[in-house]
Amino acid sequence: MLFRSKGYLNIPIIDYSWDEFDFSRLNSIGYNDLYHDRLSCDYNSIFNSFYILNSNIKKDELLKRIKFLFEDKSLGVIIRIKGFIFDDEWYEINATHDETTISKRMNAQRAIIIIGTNLNEERIKELLS
């Protein structure tokens, strides 16, 4: 078993083979109470979000518009769209730029939430209402 030091932190690192490791030594290793600064961030100043209640948009039309919303940069940078719609049945929507999922739900409230930066709220509401 080899103990190394991680340079700037001076923390022992154990480099071992599982076959050779002496697990009884774990009790004697101890811990290191390192101090670190956690960088705080006001996410409300970076990200915007708003919601649309009682949208009557149909499922197929919503799926088309979601694709458009993520592509049209004049609407801002949309990170996520989620919520619930009713189109003869209740559906839950969860969309990012890479993936959109839609699944049936028993019941819900019509609401679509849009999260992003520099969002053109009025135009997005027009497209989703």
Side-chain angles (χ1 to χ4, degrees), residues 1 3 12 14 21-32:
M1 185 177 334
F3 286 85
I14 302 171
F21 187 69
D22 180 5
F23 287 94
S24 65
R25 293 204 55 203
L26 285 176
N27 291 330
S28 65
I29 290 175
Y31 69 95
N32 192 335

Side-chain angles (χ1 to χ4, degrees), residues 34-88:
L34 292 174
Y35 174 79
H36 72 281
D37 285 328
R38 180 179 175 147
L39 299 176
S40 63
C41 180
D42 180 10
Y43 293 106
N44 291 327
S45 66
I46 299 171
F47 301 106
N48 313 77
S49 67
F50 66 92
Y51 57 89
I52 301 166
L53 295 178
N54 301 317
S55 173
N56 290 318
I57 194 166
K58 300 299 181 186
K59 180 181 72 164
D60 292 338
E61 187 60 33
L62 177 61
L63 292 172
K64 285 181 206 171
R65 292 188 187 183
I66 284 175
K67 184 175 177 1
F68 175 77
L69 289 168
F70 281 112
E71 292 173 356
D72 187 345
K73 298 305 177 200
S74 73
L75 300 172
V77 179
I78 297 175
I79 297 168
R80 186 171 178 205
I81 300 169
K82 62 182 185 172
F84 303 94
I85 61 164
F86 186 79
D87 184 2
D88 296 325

Side-chain angles (χ1 to χ4, degrees), residues 82-113:
K82 62 182 185 172
F84 303 94
I85 61 164
F86 186 79
D87 184 2
D88 296 325
E89 297 179 83
W90 285 104
Y91 293 95
E92 179 179 6
I93 308 295
N94 196 347
T96 64
H97 193 278
D98 297 325
E99 180 180 18
T100 299
T101 60
I102 187 163
S103 56
K104 291 182 182 179
R105 299 301 261 170
M106 289 299 290
N107 55 27
Q109 177 183 357
R110 287 182 183 159
I112 301 171
I113 301 165

